[in-house]
């Protein structure tokens, strides 16, 4: 027991881990909602149930979304692409109302190797267009959301392409133009979804689906200048951006009894359908690429964060315009660029001259605008975001100007006060000295000129000139008077000192010292040294 006990425990533990992992994977093999409509079917909201399945993915992500009219077989098509039965995969409804609400995701991604990169591919089912009780704005949001978040957009259409189907693309394509439409060769903010026109029809003779799509997108002749036709042609012009990224594919109906499709096996379906369906799988797989945003692929958490940003944009306002969406997407970029400006300006030491501060502002502003140009979304509507960034930068710059004025005033005031105190000290020297006053005056003036900077310098220079001039005038006026008094006092001291010296030399020394002992006395030596210093020095020679 001592030998096999631990092995048995380890075996049970490993079995538990394997079973647990299997259970987790199995639990994800179902459809989850990731986007739900609000009760009024006017706005969209996130559903965390499905987002958890996406967030756990650490590899690059790609999404294949199927859009189209309600009751057009989107859910069944997705199950066919995933090789799932109706019982296993997305729910397929046979009622007249739409089965799928919002956007659903199949929880178990398909792992593909794309250009040597392991990619997790999620398949998305979207709520059908034109169902009862919904506004066109809601349909447009679903369409736009699927367009922006997917790598491959399958536009599932029954029988043929209607003008309404082309018109419906206009808003999504306008988004594409704003988000993807950079000049070729430059970095793109988003990598556009590849559009697959999937036409399901019973007749395969005549025009190919590619010819059908090309003809539908061709300009309508308008010799009379009809405004309605002009609008139709404008939509066709906007769709040109999808030209390089679109493919057309036809798919026959799988069976005449469409209500029983979920009960039929491949052997019971139309052989032509089975063949074309397998071809469709290959076409979709060849179109899939990882979702690229800001030049990098997204993992699960980044994809969910990106989805949240899209949803915030689409829900902004009652009826979002392309401009409002671009503003929301650029909001984060604006904040980062403004932060860049603040950091660069924060590294500029204050106070400094107005010219120097303005040059630092221009350099920091240019760096922020360059970062915005490299990251922003959109071409046309991004102009408004750029103007907003400039406006915010100018507001911040005004604060730096005010701060510079305050710091300059504070510094110059301190230097002025220090000089004023210095001049007051020079006014009351015990021994008046013009040289000492001039040295202090010059030092004070030079330190002020070199250290006082900024917009307050001019004002304080005028104050300094007045204060220094007044101090010098007052010192000169008092200097002569005080010097005269000091000379009188010095003369008197010299006279008294001379008499004391005379008495000492002529009387005291003769009474107590002989001439020989006097000359060897330390006192006499001190007198001799003093005499020599006074009579001759490198500066003054009394003998001359």
């Amino acid at each position: 027991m001592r030998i096999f006990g631990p092995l048995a425990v380890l075996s049970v533990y490993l079995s538990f881990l394997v079973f647990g992992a299997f259970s987790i994977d199995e639990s994800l093999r179902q459809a989850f909602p990731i986007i739900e409509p609000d009760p009024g079917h006017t706005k969209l909201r996130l559903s965390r149930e499905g987002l958890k399945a996406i967030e756990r993915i650490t590899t690059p992500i790609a999404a294949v979304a199927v859009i189209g009219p309600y009751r057009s077989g989107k859910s069944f098509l997705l199950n066919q692409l995933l090789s799932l039965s109706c019982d296993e995969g997305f729910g397929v409804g046979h009622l007249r109302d739409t089965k799928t609400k919002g956007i659903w995701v199949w929880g178990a991604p398909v792992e593909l190797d794309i250009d040597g990169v392991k990619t997790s591919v999620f398949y998305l089912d979207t709520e059908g267009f034109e169902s009862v009780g919904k506004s066109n704005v809601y349909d447009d949001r679903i369409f736009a959301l699927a367009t922006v978040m997917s790598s491959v957009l399958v536009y599932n259409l029954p029988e043929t392409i209607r003008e309404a189907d082309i018109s419906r693309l206009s808003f999504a394509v306008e988004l594409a133009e704003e988000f993807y439409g950079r000049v070729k060769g430059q970095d793109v903010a988003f990598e556009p979804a590849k559009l697959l026109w999937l036409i399901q029809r019973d007749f395969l003779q005549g025009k190919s689906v590619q010819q059908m799509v090309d003809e539908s997108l061709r300009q309508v002749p308008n010799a009379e200048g009809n405004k309605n036709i002009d609008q139709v042609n404008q939509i066709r012009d906007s769709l040109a951006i999808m030209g390089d990224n679109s493919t057309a594919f036809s798919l026959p109906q799988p069976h005449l009894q469409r209500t029983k499709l979920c009960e039929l096996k491949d052997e019971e379906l139309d052989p032509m359908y089975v063949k074309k369906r397998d071809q469709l799988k290959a076409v979709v797989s060849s179109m899939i690429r990882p979702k690229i945003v800001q030049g990098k692929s997204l993992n699960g958490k980044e994809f969910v964060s990106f989805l949240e940003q899209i949803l915030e944009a689409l829900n902004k306002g009652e009826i979002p315009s392309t401009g409002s969406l671009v503003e929301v997407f650029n909001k984060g970029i604006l904040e980062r660029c403004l932060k860049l400006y603040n950091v660069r300006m924060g590294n500029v030491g204050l106070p400094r001259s107005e010219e120097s501060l303005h040059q630092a502002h221009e350099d920091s502003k240019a760096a922020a605008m360059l970062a915005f140009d490299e990251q922003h979304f959109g071409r046309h509507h991004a102009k408004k975001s750029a103007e907003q960034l400039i406006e915010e930068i100018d507001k911040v710059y005004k604060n730096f100007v005010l701060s510079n004025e305050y710091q300059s005033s504070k510094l110059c005031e301190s230097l002025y006060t220090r000089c004023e105190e210095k001049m007051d000290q020079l006014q009351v020297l015990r021994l008046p000295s013009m040289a000492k006053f001039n040295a202090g005056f010059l030092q004070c003036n030079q330190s002020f000129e070199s250290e006082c900077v900024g917009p307050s310098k001019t004002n304080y220079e005028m104050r300094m000139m007045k204060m220094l001039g007044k101090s010098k005038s007052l010192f000169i006026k008092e200097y002569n008077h005080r010097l005269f008094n000091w000379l009188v006092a010095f003369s008197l001291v010299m006279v008294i000192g001379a008499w004391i010296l005379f008495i000492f030399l002529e009387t005291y020394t003769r009474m107590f010292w002989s001439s020989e002992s006097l000359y060897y006395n330390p006192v006499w030596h001190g007198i001799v040294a003093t005499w020599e210093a006074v009579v001759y020095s490198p500066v003054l020679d009394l003998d001359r």
Side-chain angles (χ1 to χ4, degrees):
M1 291 297 292
R2 291 180 181 177
I3 297 175
F4 295 102
L7 291 176
V9 172
L10 180 60
S11 177
V12 171
Y13 179 68
L14 291 175
S15 298
F16 174 78
L17 287 179
V18 171
F19 177 76
F22 177 76
S23 299
I24 292 172
D25 289 340
E26 283 300 308
S27 68
L28 293 173
R29 290 187 59 80
Q30 58 177 304
F32 297 97
I34 56 173
I35 302 293
E36 296 176 328
D38 66 3
H41 265 77
T42 57
K43 294 187 178 181
L44 302 169
R45 60 191 180 192
L46 293 172
S47 174
R48 289 293 166 186
E49 186 180 7
L51 296 181
K52 291 179 181 177
I54 299 176
E55 284 179 326
R56 68 186 182 88
I57 302 299
T58 58
T59 56
I61 277 183
V64 177
V66 177
I67 58 175
Y70 85 109
R71 302 294 299 134
S72 62
K74 296 185 302 300
S75 300
F76 179 78
L77 174 63
L78 278 163
N79 290 336
Q80 292 285 289
L81 293 175
L82 287 165
S83 301
L84 297 170
S85 67
C86 296
D87 294 333
E88 297 174 302
F90 289 98
V92 177
H94 301 302
L95 303 175
R96 289 306 299 166
D97 62 334
T98 181
K99 179 72 174 179
T100 304
K101 302 291 184 182
I103 298 179
W104 289 61
V105 63
W106 182 248
V110 176
E111 303 294 343
L112 292 181
D113 187 289
I114 300 175
D115 297 331
V117 178
K118 182 182 177 183
T119 305
S120 299
V121 184
F122 282 100
Y123 283 78
L124 307 176
D125 192 8
T126 63
E127 185 170 351
F129 307 140
E130 301 169 351
S131 63
V132 178
K134 296 188 306 177
S135 65
N136 289 333
V137 173
Y138 175 79
D139 285 347
D140 287 342
R141 285 196 177 109
I142 291 287
F143 201 144
L145 186 57
T147 302
V148 176
M149 69 188 288
S150 63
S151 300
V152 177
L153 185 67
V154 181
Y155 198 175
N156 185 52
L157 296 170
E159 301 297 340
T160 188
I161 301 174
R162 302 170 302 164
E163 187 62 38
D165 299 324
I166 296 174
S167 298
R168 194 175 300 283
L169 273 175
S170 61
F171 180 63
V173 169
E174 190 176 358
L175 281 179
E177 186 179 11
E178 288 296 339
F179 292 143
Y180 318 143
R182 302 291 185 89
V183 178
K184 288 187 177 180
Q186 294 184 356
D187 292 337
V188 293
F190 287 38
E191 208 169 81
K194 294 184 181 297
L195 177 63
L196 175 61
W197 297 83
L198 180 61
I199 314 297
Q200 297 194 38
R201 56 177 183 168
D202 293 323
F203 53 95
L204 295 176
Q205 293 79 21
K207 297 177 182 177
S208 68
V209 288
Q210 188 63 60
Q211 289 175 323
M212 185 185 302
V213 170
D214 292 342
E215 287 184 4
S216 299
L217 300 180
R218 194 172 297 157
Q219 290 276 328
V220 178
N222 188 21
E224 298 179 0
N226 187 291
K227 291 183 178 180
N228 293 327
I229 297 179
D230 274 344
Q231 186 175 4
V232 168
N233 285 332
Q234 286 174 7
I235 292 172
R236 281 159 170 74
D237 287 338
S238 68
L239 289 175
I241 191 176
M242 304 295 283
D244 297 336
N245 288 314
S246 66
T247 302
F249 195 89
S250 64
L251 190 66
Q253 295 298 334
H255 197 275
L256 293 177
Q257 295 182 327
R258 298 192 60 189
T259 57
K260 294 184 177 181
L261 288 178
C262 287
E263 303 170 11
L264 301 175
K265 298 180 181 179
D266 276 7
E267 303 83 56
E268 302 173 87
L269 298 176
D270 187 322
M272 179 59 73
Y273 165 80
V274 175
K275 179 182 177 181
K276 294 286 288 185
R277 179 201 63 190
D278 293 340
Q279 291 177 2
L280 176 62
K281 287 183 181 181
V283 169
V284 172
S285 295
S286 68
M287 296 172 68
I288 295 173
R289 292 292 181 275
K291 187 63 183 176
I292 302 294
V293 177
Q294 299 299 108
K296 68 181 291 288
S297 58
L298 304 182
N299 61 26
K301 290 185 178 179
E302 292 167 340
F303 186 85
V304 170
S305 176
F306 174 59
L307 180 57
E308 290 171 344
Q309 193 178 15
I310 297 171
L311 198 61
E312 178 188 355
L314 289 172
N315 282 335
K316 184 183 180 183
E318 289 303 315
I319 302 178
S321 65
T322 306
S324 67
L325 297 181
V326 171
E327 288 171 34
V328 173
F329 273 96
N330 284 335
K331 181 181 177 182
I333 298 169
L334 283 175
E335 291 173 353
R336 291 196 296 273
C337 294
L338 191 59
K339 183 179 179 181
L340 172 63
Y341 173 83
N342 273 296
V343 168
R344 287 178 63 101
M345 289 297 289
N347 293 331
V348 175
L350 298 180
R352 61 193 305 124
S353 68
E354 293 174 287
E355 296 78 10
S356 177
L357 182 66
H358 183 72
Q359 185 59 51
H361 158 70
E362 290 295 333
D363 293 342
S364 301
K365 179 179 177 181
M369 295 307 298
L370 178 61
F372 178 80
D373 289 339
E374 291 174 348
Q375 301 177 52
H376 77 265
F377 295 96
R379 290 185 300 176
H380 309 301
H381 294 95
K383 182 180 179 182
K384 186 173 182 180
S385 297
E387 291 171 352
Q388 183 182 349
L389 176 59
I390 293 173
E391 184 179 337
E392 292 296 326
I393 286 176
D394 289 342
K395 286 180 182 178
V396 175
Y397 176 58
K398 288 179 182 178
N399 292 333
F400 275 103
V401 169
L402 292 175
S403 179
N404 189 48
E405 290 175 354
Y406 171 74
Q407 295 293 340
S408 174
S409 175
K410 186 178 177 181
L411 175 62
C412 294
E413 177 67 31
S414 174
L415 293 169
Y416 174 84
T417 302
R418 188 174 71 184
C419 284
E420 193 174 38
E421 291 174 352
K422 181 72 174 178
M423 291 297 102
D424 289 342
Q425 292 172 3
L426 292 174
Q427 292 291 345
V428 292
L429 291 174
R430 289 186 176 89
L431 294 176
S433 171
M434 182 62 73
K436 187 172 183 178
F437 180 87
N438 287 337
F441 182 95
L442 182 62
Q443 180 187 12
C444 189
N445 197 30
Q446 288 178 340
S447 64
F448 178 86
E449 282 296 321
S450 61
E451 296 177 32
C452 176
V453 294
S456 298
K457 184 171 184 176
T458 303
N459 182 37
Y460 276 89
E461 275 182 335
M462 296 177 65
R463 290 181 60 185
M464 278 288 293
M465 289 175 61
K466 290 181 181 179
M467 185 270 290
L468 292 175
K470 184 177 180 181
S471 294
K472 193 164 188 176
S473 298
L474 182 61
F475 181 83
I476 292 173
K477 180 180 178 182
E478 295 292 327
Y479 172 76
N480 292 321
H481 179 67
R482 291 178 65 194
L483 180 61
F484 178 82
N485 291 337
W486 270 102
L487 288 174
V488 170
F490 181 72
S491 300
L492 182 60
V493 169
M494 290 295 292
V495 169
I496 294 172
W499 276 105
I500 292 173
L501 181 63
F502 174 78
I503 293 170
F504 175 76
L505 293 174
E506 290 294 328
T507 306
Y508 186 81
T509 56
R510 295 181 185 278
M511 290 176 62
F512 298 100
W513 296 334
S514 65
S515 58
E516 290 81 5
S517 62
L518 172 65
Y519 298 149
Y520 292 99
N521 193 285
V523 175
W524 178 254
H525 291 169
I527 293 172
V528 170
T530 303
W531 171 261
E532 289 295 332
V534 171
V535 171
Y536 175 76
S537 71
V539 178
L540 180 66
D541 185 356
L542 288 181
D543 185 59
R544 290 182 181 181

